[in-house]
Amino acid sequence: MPRRISRSSFVWPTLGVLLAVLASACSGSDDSALPDCPDTALTCPASGSSAAPSTDPPTTPDETTASPSATASTTAKPTTTAGGTSGASGTPSSQAAACASPGACGFPDARTTGPRVPLKPHKTGYKAVRTDGMVIRGWDITGSLDIYANDVTVIDTKITSDNWWGVNLRPGYHGLRILHSTITAVPGKGPDNGGVDYAVSNMGTSSIEVGWCDVSVFGDALAMGQGNLHDNYVHDIAPFVNKGGEWQHTNAVISSGGNDGRLVIRHNTLLNPTSLKQGASGSIGLFADSGVVRNVTVDGNWIAGGAYALYGGDTGATGIEVTNNVFSTEYHPASGGYGPVAHWNAEGAGNVWRNNRMSDGRPVTPEPAS
Protein backbone atom coordinates (compact mmCIF):
# COMPACT_ATOMS: atom_id res chain seq x y z
CA MET A 1 0.00 0.00 0.00
CA PRO A 2 1.23 3.54 -0.60
CA ARG A 3 3.16 5.28 2.07
CA ARG A 4 1.16 8.24 3.35
CA ILE A 5 3.31 11.36 3.67
CA SER A 6 2.32 13.49 6.64
CA ARG A 7 1.71 17.14 5.87
CA SER A 8 0.28 20.17 7.62
CA SER A 9 -3.39 20.91 6.88
CA PHE A 10 -4.20 23.26 4.04
CA VAL A 11 -6.62 25.49 5.99
CA TRP A 12 -7.60 28.78 4.37
CA PRO A 13 -9.36 30.37 7.36
CA THR A 14 -6.10 30.36 9.26
CA LEU A 15 -4.27 31.89 6.34
CA GLY A 16 -7.05 34.45 5.99
CA VAL A 17 -6.40 35.75 9.50
CA LEU A 18 -2.72 36.17 8.72
CA LEU A 19 -3.41 37.87 5.40
CA ALA A 20 -5.99 40.26 6.81
CA VAL A 21 -3.26 42.01 8.74
CA LEU A 22 -1.53 42.80 5.47
CA ALA A 23 -4.61 44.30 3.83
CA SER A 24 -4.20 47.67 5.54
CA ALA A 25 -0.96 48.58 3.76
CA CYS A 26 -0.72 49.36 0.06
CA SER A 27 1.98 51.33 -1.69
CA GLY A 28 1.30 53.24 -4.88
CA SER A 29 2.66 52.54 -8.35
CA ASP A 30 3.65 54.35 -11.52
CA ASP A 31 0.45 55.52 -13.17
CA SER A 32 1.89 56.45 -16.56
CA ALA A 33 0.22 54.65 -19.45
CA LEU A 34 1.98 51.88 -21.28
CA PRO A 35 2.53 52.30 -25.01
CA ASP A 36 0.24 50.34 -27.29
CA CYS A 37 1.43 46.76 -27.26
CA PRO A 38 1.53 44.58 -30.38
CA ASP A 39 0.37 41.52 -28.40
CA THR A 40 -2.89 42.64 -26.86
CA ALA A 41 -5.21 39.65 -27.14
CA LEU A 42 -6.02 38.28 -23.71
CA THR A 43 -5.72 34.66 -24.72
CA CYS A 44 -3.85 33.23 -27.63
CA PRO A 45 -3.80 29.44 -27.78
CA ALA A 46 -0.70 28.21 -29.53
CA SER A 47 -0.52 25.02 -31.54
CA GLY A 48 -0.81 22.20 -29.07
CA SER A 49 -2.75 24.22 -26.52
CA SER A 50 -5.80 22.60 -24.96
CA ALA A 51 -7.69 25.74 -24.00
CA ALA A 52 -10.13 27.67 -26.14
CA PRO A 53 -9.90 31.46 -26.44
CA SER A 54 -11.85 33.24 -23.72
CA THR A 55 -13.96 36.36 -24.01
CA ASP A 56 -12.24 39.68 -23.40
CA PRO A 57 -13.28 41.30 -20.11
CA PRO A 58 -14.25 44.93 -19.70
CA THR A 59 -11.25 47.18 -19.17
CA THR A 60 -12.16 49.63 -16.44
CA PRO A 61 -9.12 51.83 -15.79
CA ASP A 62 -8.23 53.40 -12.48
CA GLU A 63 -5.42 55.62 -11.37
CA THR A 64 -2.95 52.75 -11.11
CA THR A 65 -3.61 50.73 -14.28
CA ALA A 66 -2.99 51.04 -17.94
CA SER A 67 -5.77 49.41 -19.92
CA PRO A 68 -4.85 49.25 -23.61
CA SER A 69 -7.27 47.73 -26.06
CA ALA A 70 -7.93 44.05 -25.47
CA THR A 71 -9.32 43.28 -28.91
CA ALA A 72 -6.39 43.21 -31.32
CA SER A 73 -5.08 39.98 -32.77
CA THR A 74 -1.81 38.49 -31.55
CA THR A 75 0.86 36.01 -32.47
CA ALA A 76 1.54 33.31 -29.91
CA LYS A 77 4.87 31.88 -28.94
CA PRO A 78 5.50 28.72 -30.92
CA THR A 79 4.69 25.41 -29.32
CA THR A 80 6.42 22.20 -30.33
CA THR A 81 4.04 19.38 -31.20
CA ALA A 82 6.47 16.59 -31.91
CA GLY A 83 6.87 13.28 -30.18
CA GLY A 84 3.51 11.89 -29.17
CA THR A 85 1.53 15.04 -28.43
CA SER A 86 -1.56 15.85 -30.43
CA GLY A 87 -1.52 19.38 -31.82
CA ALA A 88 -5.32 19.44 -31.74
CA SER A 89 -5.88 18.53 -28.13
CA GLY A 90 -2.53 19.10 -26.45
CA THR A 91 -2.67 15.63 -24.91
CA PRO A 92 -0.29 12.71 -25.38
CA SER A 93 -1.37 10.26 -28.04
CA SER A 94 -1.96 6.61 -27.25
CA GLN A 95 1.11 5.80 -29.38
CA ALA A 96 3.43 7.97 -27.26
CA ALA A 97 6.79 6.36 -26.69
CA ALA A 98 9.81 7.83 -24.93
CA CYS A 99 9.87 11.58 -24.28
CA ALA A 100 13.23 13.20 -23.62
CA SER A 101 11.92 16.48 -22.21
CA PRO A 102 8.64 18.38 -21.87
CA GLY A 103 9.35 20.90 -24.62
CA ALA A 104 10.56 18.26 -27.07
CA CYS A 105 7.23 16.48 -26.72
CA GLY A 106 4.91 19.47 -26.99
CA PHE A 107 4.47 20.33 -23.32
CA PRO A 108 4.87 23.87 -21.93
CA ASP A 109 8.32 25.19 -21.07
CA ALA A 110 10.09 28.55 -20.75
CA ARG A 111 9.72 29.22 -24.50
CA THR A 112 5.94 28.93 -24.57
CA THR A 113 4.96 30.58 -21.28
CA GLY A 114 5.37 33.95 -19.60
CA PRO A 115 5.01 37.52 -20.93
CA ARG A 116 5.07 38.17 -24.69
CA VAL A 117 5.80 41.92 -24.51
CA PRO A 118 8.37 44.29 -22.95
CA LEU A 119 7.61 45.04 -19.31
CA LYS A 120 7.59 48.23 -17.26
CA PRO A 121 8.75 48.13 -13.59
CA HIS A 122 6.11 48.70 -10.90
CA LYS A 123 7.28 48.45 -7.28
CA THR A 124 3.80 47.98 -5.89
CA GLY A 125 4.63 46.12 -2.69
CA TYR A 126 1.40 44.67 -1.33
CA LYS A 127 -1.42 45.85 -3.61
CA ALA A 128 -5.12 45.33 -2.98
CA VAL A 129 -7.08 45.38 -6.24
CA ARG A 130 -10.64 46.65 -5.70
CA THR A 131 -11.75 47.74 -9.21
CA ASP A 132 -14.03 45.39 -11.14
CA GLY A 133 -12.80 44.62 -14.65
CA MET A 134 -9.29 45.90 -13.97
CA VAL A 135 -6.63 44.79 -16.49
CA ILE A 136 -2.97 44.69 -15.44
CA ARG A 137 -0.83 44.27 -18.54
CA GLY A 138 2.87 44.69 -19.24
CA TRP A 139 3.90 45.28 -15.62
CA ASP A 140 7.08 44.01 -13.96
CA ILE A 141 5.77 43.90 -10.40
CA THR A 142 7.87 43.72 -7.27
CA GLY A 143 5.19 42.82 -4.74
CA SER A 144 1.91 40.90 -4.75
CA LEU A 145 -1.72 41.27 -5.77
CA ASP A 146 -4.66 40.71 -3.40
CA ILE A 147 -7.89 40.62 -5.42
CA TYR A 148 -11.07 42.09 -3.89
CA ALA A 149 -12.87 42.58 -7.22
CA ASN A 150 -14.61 40.73 -10.04
CA ASP A 151 -13.34 39.97 -13.54
CA VAL A 152 -9.76 41.09 -12.96
CA THR A 153 -7.21 40.10 -15.61
CA VAL A 154 -3.45 39.91 -15.14
CA ILE A 155 -1.76 39.40 -18.51
CA ASP A 156 1.74 39.65 -19.98
CA THR A 157 3.08 40.55 -16.55
CA LYS A 158 5.86 39.41 -14.23
CA ILE A 159 5.32 39.23 -10.47
CA THR A 160 8.26 38.82 -8.11
CA SER A 161 6.51 38.31 -4.79
CA ASP A 162 7.62 39.47 -1.37
CA ASN A 163 4.49 38.11 0.30
CA TRP A 164 2.77 34.81 1.17
CA TRP A 165 1.41 34.69 -2.37
CA GLY A 166 1.88 36.14 -5.83
CA VAL A 167 -1.82 36.57 -6.65
CA ASN A 168 -4.62 35.84 -4.17
CA LEU A 169 -8.39 35.83 -4.88
CA ARG A 170 -10.52 36.67 -1.84
CA PRO A 171 -13.81 34.88 -1.01
CA GLY A 172 -16.92 36.30 -2.66
CA TYR A 173 -15.21 37.46 -5.87
CA HIS A 174 -15.04 35.82 -9.29
CA GLY A 175 -13.69 36.00 -12.81
CA LEU A 176 -9.95 36.24 -12.08
CA ARG A 177 -7.71 35.38 -15.04
CA ILE A 178 -3.91 35.21 -14.99
CA LEU A 179 -2.51 34.71 -18.49
CA HIS A 180 0.91 34.74 -20.20
CA SER A 181 2.64 35.83 -17.00
CA THR A 182 5.63 34.91 -14.84
CA ILE A 183 5.10 34.45 -11.10
CA THR A 184 8.16 33.94 -8.96
CA ALA A 185 9.91 35.04 -5.76
CA VAL A 186 13.39 35.38 -4.27
CA PRO A 187 14.34 32.22 -2.32
CA GLY A 188 15.12 33.00 1.30
CA LYS A 189 13.36 36.40 1.24
CA GLY A 190 9.73 35.37 1.80
CA PRO A 191 7.61 35.90 4.94
CA ASP A 192 7.35 32.22 5.95
CA ASN A 193 10.76 31.96 7.60
CA GLY A 194 12.30 32.95 4.28
CA GLY A 195 9.91 30.87 2.19
CA VAL A 196 6.95 31.76 0.00
CA ASP A 197 3.81 29.67 -0.08
CA TYR A 198 1.39 30.23 -2.98
CA ALA A 199 2.04 31.60 -6.47
CA VAL A 200 -1.72 31.71 -7.10
CA SER A 201 -4.23 31.04 -4.33
CA ASN A 202 -8.00 30.86 -4.59
CA MET A 203 -9.64 31.45 -1.21
CA GLY A 204 -13.16 31.51 -2.65
CA THR A 205 -15.58 29.12 -4.32
CA SER A 206 -15.48 30.51 -7.88
CA SER A 207 -13.29 29.21 -10.66
CA ILE A 208 -10.21 31.14 -11.78
CA GLU A 209 -8.15 30.71 -14.95
CA VAL A 210 -4.37 30.40 -15.00
CA GLY A 211 -2.93 29.87 -18.46
CA TRP A 212 0.44 30.04 -20.26
CA CYS A 213 2.21 31.08 -17.05
CA ASP A 214 5.80 30.43 -15.94
CA VAL A 215 5.71 29.68 -12.19
CA SER A 216 8.65 28.95 -9.90
CA VAL A 217 9.98 29.02 -6.30
CA PHE A 218 6.67 28.83 -4.33
CA GLY A 219 6.13 25.85 -1.99
CA ASP A 220 2.52 25.16 -3.07
CA ALA A 221 2.54 26.86 -6.44
CA LEU A 222 -1.06 26.68 -7.72
CA ALA A 223 -3.41 26.26 -4.76
CA MET A 224 -7.16 25.98 -5.27
CA GLY A 225 -10.24 23.78 -5.12
CA GLN A 226 -11.72 24.97 -8.39
CA GLY A 227 -10.17 26.52 -11.45
CA ASN A 228 -8.92 26.06 -14.99
CA LEU A 229 -5.16 25.49 -15.01
CA HIS A 230 -3.83 25.00 -18.53
CA ASP A 231 -0.61 25.33 -20.53
CA ASN A 232 1.49 26.37 -17.51
CA TYR A 233 5.14 25.61 -16.70
CA VAL A 234 5.69 25.05 -12.96
CA HIS A 235 9.30 24.34 -12.05
CA ASP A 236 12.20 24.97 -9.64
CA ILE A 237 10.13 24.81 -6.46
CA ALA A 238 12.41 25.99 -3.64
CA PRO A 239 12.29 23.96 -0.39
CA PHE A 240 12.34 25.80 2.93
CA VAL A 241 11.83 25.27 6.66
CA ASN A 242 8.61 27.07 7.59
CA LYS A 243 7.80 29.04 10.73
CA GLY A 244 6.64 25.82 12.38
CA GLY A 245 10.19 24.55 12.17
CA GLU A 246 9.39 21.83 9.60
CA TRP A 247 10.21 21.41 5.96
CA GLN A 248 7.36 22.93 3.98
CA HIS A 249 5.51 20.25 2.01
CA THR A 250 5.77 21.20 -1.64
CA ASN A 251 3.37 20.68 -4.55
CA ALA A 252 3.19 22.11 -8.06
CA VAL A 253 -0.64 21.97 -7.82
CA ILE A 254 -2.51 21.42 -4.56
CA SER A 255 -6.18 21.08 -3.64
CA SER A 256 -7.45 20.30 -0.17
CA GLY A 257 -10.87 18.87 -1.08
CA GLY A 258 -14.30 20.09 -0.08
CA ASN A 259 -14.53 22.09 -3.31
CA ASP A 260 -17.82 23.31 -4.76
CA GLY A 261 -16.76 23.58 -8.42
CA ARG A 262 -14.57 21.68 -10.85
CA LEU A 263 -10.80 21.79 -10.97
CA VAL A 264 -9.34 21.27 -14.46
CA ILE A 265 -5.59 20.62 -14.76
CA ARG A 266 -4.84 20.27 -18.47
CA HIS A 267 -1.71 20.36 -20.63
CA ASN A 268 0.71 21.69 -18.01
CA THR A 269 4.32 20.85 -17.20
CA LEU A 270 4.34 20.26 -13.43
CA LEU A 271 7.76 19.65 -11.89
CA ASN A 272 8.54 19.16 -8.21
CA PRO A 273 12.29 18.59 -7.82
CA THR A 274 12.19 18.83 -4.00
CA SER A 275 14.03 15.96 -2.35
CA LEU A 276 12.25 13.52 -0.06
CA LYS A 277 14.27 14.84 2.90
CA GLN A 278 13.22 18.45 2.22
CA GLY A 279 9.43 18.16 2.23
CA ALA A 280 8.51 16.79 -1.19
CA SER A 281 4.79 16.01 -1.36
CA GLY A 282 3.39 15.80 -4.91
CA SER A 283 3.56 17.19 -8.38
CA ILE A 284 -0.25 17.18 -8.16
CA GLY A 285 -1.61 16.84 -4.63
CA LEU A 286 -5.34 16.11 -4.34
CA PHE A 287 -5.74 15.86 -0.56
CA ALA A 288 -8.85 15.41 1.57
CA ASP A 289 -7.67 17.86 4.24
CA SER A 290 -10.78 20.08 4.11
CA GLY A 291 -13.34 17.60 2.77
CA VAL A 292 -14.01 14.98 0.13
CA VAL A 293 -12.11 15.44 -3.14
CA ARG A 294 -14.46 15.55 -6.13
CA ASN A 295 -14.82 16.81 -9.70
CA VAL A 296 -11.21 17.05 -10.86
CA THR A 297 -9.88 16.60 -14.39
CA VAL A 298 -6.16 15.83 -14.80
CA ASP A 299 -5.55 15.52 -18.53
CA GLY A 300 -2.55 15.66 -20.82
CA ASN A 301 0.07 16.87 -18.34
CA TRP A 302 3.81 16.22 -17.98
CA ILE A 303 4.22 15.28 -14.30
CA ALA A 304 7.45 14.70 -12.39
CA GLY A 305 8.71 14.64 -8.82
CA GLY A 306 7.36 14.65 -5.30
CA ALA A 307 7.06 11.77 -2.86
CA TYR A 308 4.35 10.51 -5.21
CA ALA A 309 3.92 12.38 -8.46
CA LEU A 310 0.12 12.32 -8.06
CA TYR A 311 -2.00 12.02 -4.93
CA GLY A 312 -5.36 10.87 -6.27
CA GLY A 313 -7.89 12.02 -3.66
CA ASP A 314 -8.05 9.06 -1.26
CA THR A 315 -11.12 7.06 -0.23
CA GLY A 316 -14.41 8.82 -0.91
CA ALA A 317 -13.05 10.76 -3.89
CA THR A 318 -15.50 10.94 -6.83
CA GLY A 319 -15.52 12.41 -10.31
CA ILE A 320 -11.72 12.28 -10.66
CA GLU A 321 -10.63 11.83 -14.30
CA VAL A 322 -6.92 11.15 -14.87
CA THR A 323 -6.20 10.67 -18.56
CA ASN A 324 -3.40 10.98 -21.12
CA ASN A 325 -0.68 12.09 -18.69
CA VAL A 326 3.07 11.48 -18.96
CA PHE A 327 4.80 10.59 -15.67
CA SER A 328 8.40 11.64 -16.19
CA THR A 329 11.40 9.86 -14.69
CA GLU A 330 13.62 12.95 -14.71
CA TYR A 331 13.87 13.09 -10.88
CA HIS A 332 13.03 9.54 -9.80
CA PRO A 333 12.86 6.20 -11.66
CA ALA A 334 9.21 5.89 -10.63
CA SER A 335 8.39 9.57 -11.34
CA GLY A 336 7.81 10.23 -7.63
CA GLY A 337 10.28 9.13 -4.97
CA TYR A 338 7.95 6.34 -3.79
CA GLY A 339 5.98 5.85 -6.99
CA PRO A 340 3.87 7.58 -9.64
CA VAL A 341 0.51 7.67 -7.82
CA ALA A 342 -0.96 7.11 -4.37
CA HIS A 343 -4.43 7.08 -2.80
CA TRP A 344 -6.39 6.45 -5.98
CA ASN A 345 -10.02 5.47 -5.32
CA ALA A 346 -10.71 3.06 -8.16
CA GLU A 347 -14.25 2.38 -6.95
CA GLY A 348 -15.34 6.01 -6.69
CA ALA A 349 -18.29 7.11 -8.82
CA GLY A 350 -17.10 8.78 -12.00
CA ASN A 351 -13.42 8.08 -11.36
CA VAL A 352 -11.53 7.34 -14.60
CA TRP A 353 -7.92 6.24 -15.08
CA ARG A 354 -6.95 5.94 -18.76
CA ASN A 355 -3.90 6.15 -21.03
CA ASN A 356 -1.39 7.35 -18.42
CA ARG A 357 2.22 6.44 -19.20
CA MET A 358 5.74 6.86 -17.96
CA SER A 359 8.02 9.03 -20.08
CA ASP A 360 9.65 5.85 -21.41
CA GLY A 361 6.27 4.60 -22.67
CA ARG A 362 5.38 2.12 -19.90
CA PRO A 363 1.75 2.22 -18.73
CA VAL A 364 1.04 3.50 -15.21
CA THR A 365 -1.31 1.44 -13.03
CA PRO A 366 -2.31 3.07 -9.73
CA GLU A 367 -2.26 1.37 -6.37
CA PRO A 368 -5.61 1.45 -4.55
CA ALA A 369 -6.43 3.95 -1.82
CA SER A 370 -5.70 2.74 1.71
PDB file of all heavy atoms in Angstrom, residues 30-35 117-123 137-141 156 158:
ATOM      1  N   ASP A  30       3.540  53.438 -10.392  1.00  0.00           N
ATOM      2  CA  ASP A  30       3.650  54.353 -11.516  1.00  0.00           C
ATOM      3  C   ASP A  30       2.370  54.332 -12.310  1.00  0.00           C
ATOM      4  O   ASP A  30       1.916  53.298 -12.753  1.00  0.00           O
ATOM      5  CB  ASP A  30       4.828  53.897 -12.382  1.00  0.00           C
ATOM      6  CG  ASP A  30       5.149  54.893 -13.479  1.00  0.00           C
ATOM      7  OD1 ASP A  30       4.320  55.775 -13.725  1.00  0.00           O
ATOM      8  OD2 ASP A  30       6.233  54.747 -14.070  1.00  0.00           O
ATOM      9  N   ASP A  31       1.750  55.503 -12.510  1.00  0.00           N
ATOM     10  CA  ASP A  31       0.449  55.522 -13.175  1.00  0.00           C
ATOM     11  C   ASP A  31       0.558  55.956 -14.630  1.00  0.00           C
ATOM     12  O   ASP A  31      -0.455  56.200 -15.276  1.00  0.00           O
ATOM     13  CB  ASP A  31      -0.529  56.435 -12.426  1.00  0.00           C
ATOM     14  CG  ASP A  31      -0.046  57.879 -12.393  1.00  0.00           C
ATOM     15  OD1 ASP A  31       1.052  58.153 -12.904  1.00  0.00           O
ATOM     16  OD2 ASP A  31      -0.790  58.720 -11.840  1.00  0.00           O
ATOM     17  N   SER A  32       1.754  56.070 -15.162  1.00  0.00           N
ATOM     18  CA  SER A  32       1.887  56.452 -16.564  1.00  0.00           C
ATOM     19  C   SER A  32       1.434  55.317 -17.463  1.00  0.00           C
ATOM     20  O   SER A  32       1.662  54.159 -17.190  1.00  0.00           O
ATOM     21  CB  SER A  32       3.343  56.814 -16.875  1.00  0.00           C
ATOM     22  OG  SER A  32       4.189  55.735 -16.575  1.00  0.00           O
ATOM     23  N   ALA A  33       0.787  55.674 -18.572  1.00  0.00           N
ATOM     24  CA  ALA A  33       0.215  54.651 -19.446  1.00  0.00           C
ATOM     25  C   ALA A  33       1.307  53.932 -20.213  1.00  0.00           C
ATOM     26  O   ALA A  33       2.312  54.509 -20.600  1.00  0.00           O
ATOM     27  CB  ALA A  33      -0.766  55.299 -20.424  1.00  0.00           C
ATOM     28  N   LEU A  34       1.074  52.651 -20.453  1.00  0.00           N
ATOM     29  CA  LEU A  34       1.983  51.875 -21.279  1.00  0.00           C
ATOM     30  C   LEU A  34       1.743  52.204 -22.746  1.00  0.00           C
ATOM     31  O   LEU A  34       0.620  52.527 -23.142  1.00  0.00           O
ATOM     32  CB  LEU A  34       1.743  50.382 -21.068  1.00  0.00           C
ATOM     33  CG  LEU A  34       2.086  49.835 -19.702  1.00  0.00           C
ATOM     34  CD1 LEU A  34       1.603  48.401 -19.617  1.00  0.00           C
ATOM     35  CD2 LEU A  34       3.570  49.913 -19.447  1.00  0.00           C
ATOM     36  N   PRO A  35       2.774  52.128 -23.578  1.00  0.00           N
ATOM     37  CA  PRO A  35       2.532  52.299 -25.015  1.00  0.00           C
ATOM     38  C   PRO A  35       1.682  51.154 -25.541  1.00  0.00           C
ATOM     39  O   PRO A  35       1.625  50.089 -24.943  1.00  0.00           O
ATOM     40  CB  PRO A  35       3.952  52.256 -25.607  1.00  0.00           C
ATOM     41  CG  PRO A  35       4.763  51.501 -24.599  1.00  0.00           C
ATOM     42  CD  PRO A  35       4.168  51.852 -23.260  1.00  0.00           C
ATOM     43  N   VAL A 117       5.549  40.518 -24.174  1.00  0.00           N
ATOM     44  CA  VAL A 117       5.804  41.920 -24.509  1.00  0.00           C
ATOM     45  C   VAL A 117       6.840  42.492 -23.542  1.00  0.00           C
ATOM     46  O   VAL A 117       7.066  41.943 -22.460  1.00  0.00           O
ATOM     47  CB  VAL A 117       4.502  42.744 -24.405  1.00  0.00           C
ATOM     48  CG1 VAL A 117       3.437  42.191 -25.346  1.00  0.00           C
ATOM     49  CG2 VAL A 117       3.972  42.757 -22.964  1.00  0.00           C
ATOM     50  N   PRO A 118       7.477  43.614 -23.899  1.00  0.00           N
ATOM     51  CA  PRO A 118       8.368  44.292 -22.947  1.00  0.00           C
ATOM     52  C   PRO A 118       7.591  44.751 -21.715  1.00  0.00           C
ATOM     53  O   PRO A 118       6.414  45.106 -21.792  1.00  0.00           O
ATOM     54  CB  PRO A 118       8.889  45.488 -23.751  1.00  0.00           C
ATOM     55  CG  PRO A 118       8.707  45.104 -25.182  1.00  0.00           C
ATOM     56  CD  PRO A 118       7.473  44.256 -25.220  1.00  0.00           C
ATOM     57  N   LEU A 119       8.264  44.737 -20.574  1.00  0.00           N
ATOM     58  CA  LEU A 119       7.607  45.041 -19.306  1.00  0.00           C
ATOM     59  C   LEU A 119       8.102  46.357 -18.720  1.00  0.00           C
ATOM     60  O   LEU A 119       9.247  46.766 -18.954  1.00  0.00           O
ATOM     61  CB  LEU A 119       7.845  43.910 -18.301  1.00  0.00           C
ATOM     62  CG  LEU A 119       7.434  42.512 -18.739  1.00  0.00           C
ATOM     63  CD1 LEU A 119       7.746  41.502 -17.643  1.00  0.00           C
ATOM     64  CD2 LEU A 119       5.956  42.462 -19.110  1.00  0.00           C
ATOM     65  N   LYS A 120       7.256  46.984 -17.923  1.00  0.00           N
ATOM     66  CA  LYS A 120       7.591  48.234 -17.258  1.00  0.00           C
ATOM     67  C   LYS A 120       7.600  48.018 -15.752  1.00  0.00           C
ATOM     68  O   LYS A 120       6.635  47.495 -15.194  1.00  0.00           O
ATOM     69  CB  LYS A 120       6.561  49.310 -17.629  1.00  0.00           C
ATOM     70  CG  LYS A 120       6.885  50.680 -17.037  1.00  0.00           C
ATOM     71  CD  LYS A 120       5.933  51.734 -17.593  1.00  0.00           C
ATOM     72  CE  LYS A 120       6.301  53.111 -17.061  1.00  0.00           C
ATOM     73  NZ  LYS A 120       5.426  54.167 -17.631  1.00  0.00           N
ATOM     74  N   PRO A 121       8.671  48.384 -15.041  1.00  0.00           N
ATOM     75  CA  PRO A 121       8.750  48.129 -13.589  1.00  0.00           C
ATOM     76  C   PRO A 121       7.666  48.851 -12.803  1.00  0.00           C
ATOM     77  O   PRO A 121       7.360  50.021 -13.056  1.00  0.00           O
ATOM     78  CB  PRO A 121      10.138  48.662 -13.217  1.00  0.00           C
ATOM     79  CG  PRO A 121      10.911  48.652 -14.490  1.00  0.00           C
ATOM     80  CD  PRO A 121       9.918  48.964 -15.572  1.00  0.00           C
ATOM     81  N   HIS A 122       7.079  48.134 -11.845  1.00  0.00           N
ATOM     82  CA  HIS A 122       6.114  48.695 -10.896  1.00  0.00           C
ATOM     83  C   HIS A 122       6.423  48.111  -9.519  1.00  0.00           C
ATOM     84  O   HIS A 122       6.170  46.932  -9.285  1.00  0.00           O
ATOM     85  CB  HIS A 122       4.666  48.329 -11.280  1.00  0.00           C
ATOM     86  CG  HIS A 122       4.118  49.093 -12.436  1.00  0.00           C
ATOM     87  ND1 HIS A 122       4.554  48.883 -13.721  1.00  0.00           N
ATOM     88  CD2 HIS A 122       3.173  50.076 -12.496  1.00  0.00           C
ATOM     89  CE1 HIS A 122       3.873  49.699 -14.536  1.00  0.00           C
ATOM     90  NE2 HIS A 122       3.047  50.426 -13.821  1.00  0.00           N
ATOM     91  N   LYS A 123       6.990  48.904  -8.641  1.00  0.00           N
ATOM     92  CA  LYS A 123       7.280  48.452  -7.283  1.00  0.00           C
ATOM     93  C   LYS A 123       6.042  48.685  -6.422  1.00  0.00           C
ATOM     94  O   LYS A 123       5.955  49.643  -5.657  1.00  0.00           O
ATOM     95  CB  LYS A 123       8.506  49.169  -6.728  1.00  0.00           C
ATOM     96  CG  LYS A 123       9.788  48.828  -7.478  1.00  0.00           C
ATOM     97  CD  LYS A 123      10.996  49.487  -6.843  1.00  0.00           C
ATOM     98  CE  LYS A 123      12.264  49.088  -7.584  1.00  0.00           C
ATOM     99  NZ  LYS A 123      13.472  49.704  -6.990  1.00  0.00           N
ATOM    100  N   ARG A 137      -1.537  44.797 -17.388  1.00  0.00           N
ATOM    101  CA  ARG A 137      -0.827  44.268 -18.543  1.00  0.00           C
ATOM    102  C   ARG A 137       0.533  44.949 -18.685  1.00  0.00           C
ATOM    103  O   ARG A 137       0.656  46.169 -18.548  1.00  0.00           O
ATOM    104  CB  ARG A 137      -1.629  44.497 -19.825  1.00  0.00           C
ATOM    105  CG  ARG A 137      -0.890  44.062 -21.079  1.00  0.00           C
ATOM    106  CD  ARG A 137      -1.579  44.475 -22.355  1.00  0.00           C
ATOM    107  NE  ARG A 137      -2.684  43.583 -22.670  1.00  0.00           N
ATOM    108  CZ  ARG A 137      -3.954  43.933 -22.631  1.00  0.00           C
ATOM    109  NH1 ARG A 137      -4.294  45.152 -22.277  1.00  0.00           N
ATOM    110  NH2 ARG A 137      -4.896  43.062 -22.943  1.00  0.00           N
ATOM    111  N   GLY A 138       1.563  44.140 -18.936  1.00  0.00           N
ATOM    112  CA  GLY A 138       2.869  44.695 -19.237  1.00  0.00           C
ATOM    113  C   GLY A 138       3.626  45.206 -18.035  1.00  0.00           C
ATOM    114  O   GLY A 138       4.595  45.943 -18.188  1.00  0.00           O
ATOM    115  N   TRP A 139       3.232  44.819 -16.836  1.00  0.00           N
ATOM    116  CA  TRP A 139       3.901  45.280 -15.619  1.00  0.00           C
ATOM    117  C   TRP A 139       4.976  44.280 -15.198  1.00  0.00           C
ATOM    118  O   TRP A 139       4.802  43.065 -15.318  1.00  0.00           O
ATOM    119  CB  TRP A 139       2.912  45.424 -14.479  1.00  0.00           C
ATOM    120  CG  TRP A 139       1.943  46.565 -14.588  1.00  0.00           C
ATOM    121  CD1 TRP A 139       1.575  47.233 -15.718  1.00  0.00           C
ATOM    122  CD2 TRP A 139       1.195  47.133 -13.511  1.00  0.00           C
ATOM    123  NE1 TRP A 139       0.644  48.192 -15.408  1.00  0.00           N
ATOM    124  CE2 TRP A 139       0.387  48.158 -14.064  1.00  0.00           C
ATOM    125  CE3 TRP A 139       1.111  46.879 -12.148  1.00  0.00           C
ATOM    126  CZ2 TRP A 139      -0.469  48.934 -13.290  1.00  0.00           C
ATOM    127  CZ3 TRP A 139       0.253  47.646 -11.369  1.00  0.00           C
ATOM    128  CH2 TRP A 139      -0.526  48.675 -11.943  1.00  0.00           C
ATOM    129  N   ASP A 140       6.063  44.802 -14.657  1.00  0.00           N
ATOM    130  CA  ASP A 140       7.079  44.014 -13.960  1.00  0.00           C
ATOM    131  C   ASP A 140       6.950  44.377 -12.486  1.00  0.00           C
ATOM    132  O   ASP A 140       7.498  45.374 -12.026  1.00  0.00           O
ATOM    133  CB  ASP A 140       8.467  44.335 -14.505  1.00  0.00           C
ATOM    134  CG  ASP A 140       9.557  43.435 -13.928  1.00  0.00           C
ATOM    135  OD1 ASP A 140       9.277  42.709 -12.950  1.00  0.00           O
ATOM    136  OD2 ASP A 140      10.691  43.476 -14.440  1.00  0.00           O
ATOM    137  N   ILE A 141       6.184  43.567 -11.767  1.00  0.00           N
ATOM    138  CA  ILE A 141       5.774  43.896 -10.401  1.00  0.00           C
ATOM    139  C   ILE A 141       6.760  43.335  -9.388  1.00  0.00           C
ATOM    140  O   ILE A 141       7.114  42.156  -9.441  1.00  0.00           O
ATOM    141  CB  ILE A 141       4.364  43.344 -10.113  1.00  0.00           C
ATOM    142  CG1 ILE A 141       3.325  44.068 -10.976  1.00  0.00           C
ATOM    143  CG2 ILE A 141       4.021  43.442  -8.635  1.00  0.00           C
ATOM    144  CD1 ILE A 141       1.937  43.466 -10.885  1.00  0.00           C
ATOM    145  N   ASP A 156       0.440  39.187 -19.509  1.00  0.00           N
ATOM    146  CA  ASP A 156       1.745  39.649 -19.979  1.00  0.00           C
ATOM    147  C   ASP A 156       2.451  40.454 -18.899  1.00  0.00           C
ATOM    148  O   ASP A 156       2.929  41.576 -19.131  1.00  0.00           O
ATOM    149  CB  ASP A 156       1.582  40.484 -21.260  1.00  0.00           C
ATOM    150  CG  ASP A 156       1.203  39.638 -22.463  1.00  0.00           C
ATOM    151  OD1 ASP A 156       1.752  38.528 -22.611  1.00  0.00           O
ATOM    152  OD2 ASP A 156       0.344  40.075 -23.248  1.00  0.00           O
ATOM    153  N   LYS A 158       4.994  40.185 -15.113  1.00  0.00           N
ATOM    154  CA  LYS A 158       5.860  39.415 -14.228  1.00  0.00           C
ATOM    155  C   LYS A 158       5.652  39.887 -12.802  1.00  0.00           C
ATOM    156  O   LYS A 158       5.630  41.089 -12.530  1.00  0.00           O
ATOM    157  CB  LYS A 158       7.332  39.571 -14.612  1.00  0.00           C
ATOM    158  CG  LYS A 158       8.277  38.790 -13.697  1.00  0.00           C
ATOM    159  CD  LYS A 158       9.734  38.944 -14.104  1.00  0.00           C
ATOM    160  CE  LYS A 158      10.646  38.152 -13.160  1.00  0.00           C
ATOM    161  NZ  LYS A 158      12.082  38.314 -13.520  1.00  0.00           N
TER     162      LYS A 158
END
